[in-house]
Amino acid sequence: MAFEGLSEKLNGVFKRLRGKGRISEADVKEAMREVRLALLEADVSYKVVKDFIASVTERVVGADVLESLTPAQQIIKIVNEELTALMGGANAKIAMASHPPTIVMMVGLQGAGKTTNGAKLAGYFKKQMGKRPLLAACDVYRPAAITQLQVVGKQLDIPVFEMGQADPVEIARSSIAYAKDHGFDMVFLDTAGRLHIDEKLMDELKSIKATVHPNEILLVVDAMTGQDAVSAATAFDEALGIDGVVLTKLDGDARGGAALSIRAATGKPIKFVGTGEKLDMIELFHPDRMASRILGMGDMLSLIEKAEQNFDEKKAAELEEKLKKNRFTLTDYMDQMSQLRKMGDLNQIAAMMPGQLGKQMAGAQVDEKLLGRQEAIILSMTPKERENPGILNASRKKRIAAGCGLDVSDVNRLLKQYELMLQLTRQMTKGKLPKGLDGLGKVGKMGGMGKLHGFGRKKRLK
């Protein structure tokens, strides 16, 4: 996950400061030197680091901080505020047209994820804002670019406007007219990219801009390219005048410096971040929440929002009623696995957890193959068998295994996991958790608990 290395180094610095009763200016200088090195190693640009350290140091050496009862906490608070300011202060929203459709022009270099993330954004506004988006295929050069847009559009149930290999400027103009005639209130223009910035690319983008007058020009950049992402943002802004940035692959093994440098380098905000390959893995960028994640404070607001987006209130009420009556069936078990699946990569959830909770969850992931096999087994059962697993004898298990193409041992494994979950839910409804589950940090120690939820592990939970 991006910022993991930076977060560990910064927390090491603050841990040493907290261990001191009093903090001197010499302590502050030493701490700032370590923070400076950590930021440079995270691929934050030298000028940004220099200005950041100067700003933090100026605030920290004030008498109010060094003479306070908890100087280390004061320093962390100042670093948090400065990191937030560095990344833009507050979430920057998309400029919406007073008279629809709102035109969003997606630009960027090849390989940054422009086509996919344009579709992700359209899906976000459709799901979260109730908009009717239209995707427009204006990239007529890259092989299969139109097909790719049609594939992701179909997955998100969003129409794609295309005119084959026609003039990109005419495609953009016609897509806006089509949107007006058919009641679409947002149009996302998927424009062409290049392997490098050149005059021909910029001239075409300028022509599209002059023709359709987009409400928003969003540059898509790859977080894993580090300072190259900042260079691309600067070049596109100087030539075209961008309104904001979509930072992709923030879930990768990136040092994260681009997120801390782009705003300072261009003056343009990061508006969205791509956090995974799935088409729903795109989030609003909140500088204050990202600063909290970097400093190991977690991001509970984003975690709550993520849970609410995947929370089925009606099903939850039905499940609560069933638990009261000890009627937790295999159908309910499958529903719970489906809810877990929707939450996505547990590494992302771990990044939102504060302190030790996040570290203890880090490395866990949902095993999609295991969940798929469990679902296949349950769907091979009759409704009666799902409601009353106690009737599953040897012959029934053999029939179920044959029906889903698995072994009887797989069926037995599922039933054991279901029984364990049944025991847990019964104990939870009595107001107590089983021994070993009285804190999230102890979950990993409970034998079989990882398998129960279909977790695979990159490393053992501690």
Side-chain angles (χ1 to χ4, degrees):
M1 191 68 183
F3 296 120
E4 188 174 349
L6 174 61
S7 183
E8 286 181 6
K9 287 184 174 69
L10 292 181
N11 277 290
V13 173
F14 298 139
K15 186 177 181 180
R16 286 191 288 278
L17 286 178
R18 281 193 291 264
K20 297 176 181 287
R22 303 290 295 173
I23 294 178
S24 65
E25 283 195 35
D27 294 326
V28 171
K29 287 181 179 179
E30 174 62 21
M32 290 303 106
R33 188 184 73 82
E34 293 183 43
V35 170
R36 175 177 170 273
L37 288 173
L39 290 169
L40 289 172
E41 287 176 13
D43 208 19
V44 182
S45 72
Y46 176 77
K47 184 181 183 305
V48 171
V49 173
K50 183 181 176 183
D51 293 344
F52 177 80
I53 295 298
S55 180
V56 171
T57 303
E58 184 180 349
R59 291 184 61 186
V60 165
V61 294
D64 290 344
V65 173
L66 297 185
E67 294 177 8
S68 69
L69 293 175
T70 56
Q73 290 180 11
Q74 293 276 62
I75 292 171
I76 294 170
K77 179 174 179 288
I78 289 170
V79 172
N80 187 18
E81 290 171 354
E82 291 295 328
L83 274 176
T84 301
L86 182 64
M87 291 185 284
N91 168 251
K93 297 196 167 41
I94 294 281
M96 305 300 281
S98 54
H99 301 288
T102 296
I103 304 166
V104 182
M105 184 175 168
M106 309 296 296
V107 301
L109 296 175
Q110 278 186 17
K114 182 163 35 64
T115 300
T116 302
N117 282 276
K120 281 184 178 184
L121 267 182
Y124 173 88
F125 279 96
K126 178 183 177 181
K127 183 179 178 182
Q128 304 298 330
M129 309 295 180
K131 299 292 184 180
R132 285 197 68 213
L134 175 70
L135 295 167
C138 300
D139 183 356
V140 300
Y141 309 109
R142 182 169 62 88
I146 297 172
T147 303
Q148 182 189 357
L149 192 64
Q150 289 172 328
V151 168
V152 290
K154 185 176 181 181
Q155 290 174 342
L156 292 164
D157 194 24
I158 297 173
V160 174
F161 181 91
E162 59 94 13
M163 294 169 58
Q165 307 301 309
D167 175 26
V169 178
E170 180 57 28
I171 295 172
R173 190 196 63 76
S174 298
S175 70
I176 308 306
Y178 182 87
K180 289 178 180 177
D181 291 342
H182 293 82
F184 292 98
D185 49 18
M186 293 191 82
V187 179
F188 290 83
L189 305 176
D190 179 36
T191 65
R194 299 281 194 281
L195 294 175
H196 60 278
I197 296 166
D198 60 22
E199 191 175 343
K200 185 179 179 182
L201 167 67
M202 287 305 175
D203 285 345
E204 182 178 291
L205 295 177
K206 287 176 184 175
S207 295
I208 293 174
K209 177 182 178 181
T211 301
V212 302
H213 305 292
N215 303 92
E216 195 86 15
I217 299 177
L218 293 180
L219 173 69
V220 181
V221 292
D222 183 342
M224 298 184 75
T225 59
Q227 286 309 298
D228 286 342
V230 180
S231 299
T234 303
F236 270 92
D237 186 46
E238 289 175 352
L240 195 64
I242 63 173
D243 297 297
V245 172
V246 178
L247 195 63
T248 70
K249 302 179 186 177
L250 205 62
D251 59 313
D253 188 23
R255 287 170 288 180
L260 295 174
S261 302
I262 283 178
R263 175 61 186 248
T266 66
K268 300 300 166 68
I270 299 170
K271 296 196 174 184
F272 287 87
V273 288
T275 57
E277 293 182 5
K278 293 182 179 178
L279 292 177
D280 61 348
M281 288 185 171
I282 192 163
E283 300 174 2
L284 284 167
F285 181 73
H286 296 275
D288 53 343
R289 300 184 191 182
M290 186 58 71
S292 291
R293 288 194 205 183
I294 293 170
L295 296 177
M297 300 174 184
D299 180 5
M300 296 307 292
L301 283 174
S302 292
L303 182 59
I304 291 166
E305 287 174 3
K306 191 177 185 71
E308 285 178 342
Q309 288 168 13
N310 296 288
F311 179 69
D312 190 322
E313 195 170 345
K314 184 179 178 183
K315 282 189 176 180
E318 291 173 356
L319 179 60
E320 184 179 358
E321 195 61 34
K322 285 185 176 183
L323 289 176
K324 289 177 182 177
K325 298 176 181 177
N326 285 329
R327 286 287 300 152
F328 185 79
T329 68
L330 278 167
T331 302
D332 300 321
Y333 177 88
M334 187 168 68
D335 286 342
Q336 291 305 298
M337 294 304 100
S338 177
Q339 293 279 355
L340 180 68
R341 222 172 187 168
K342 290 177 183 176
M343 285 292 287
D345 190 344
L346 291 184
N347 270 320
Q348 292 181 28
I349 298 173
M352 299 176 193
M353 292 286 193
Q356 291 298 316
L357 296 183
K359 289 181 180 178
Q360 286 157 350
M361 279 188 69
Q365 60 181 351
V366 177
D367 188 335
E368 292 284 350
K369 290 183 179 178
L370 177 58
L371 291 181
R373 288 195 296 270
Q374 290 185 345
E375 187 174 351
I377 292 169
I378 295 172
L379 291 174
S380 295
M381 298 177 185
T382 65
K384 186 177 180 181
E385 288 167 342
R386 291 178 212 159
E387 294 298 309
N388 186 16
I391 66 173
L392 292 174
N393 54 25
S395 62
R396 286 177 182 264
K397 291 177 184 177
K398 189 174 180 181
R399 188 205 80 241
I400 292 165
C404 61
L406 296 168
D407 298 327
V408 173
S409 61
D410 294 312
V411 179
N412 287 330
R413 191 177 298 113
L414 166 67
L415 293 174
K416 284 181 182 178
Q417 292 171 6
Y418 161 73
E419 283 296 329
L420 177 56
M421 194 169 200
L422 188 60
Q423 291 171 24
L424 294 176
T425 51
R426 281 173 178 165
Q427 288 177 283
M428 287 177 195
T429 54
K430 294 175 183 176
K432 61 179 181 178
L433 289 173
K435 188 176 180 182
L437 281 178
D438 51 342
L440 183 57
K442 299 179 183 177
V443 170
K445 296 179 182 178
M446 178 143 181
M449 189 61 184
K451 292 179 181 177
L452 167 68
H453 289 301
F455 297 172
R457 282 182 172 78
K458 294 176 184 172
K459 58 184 179 182
R460 183 174 176 81
L461 299 187
K462 296 179 179 178

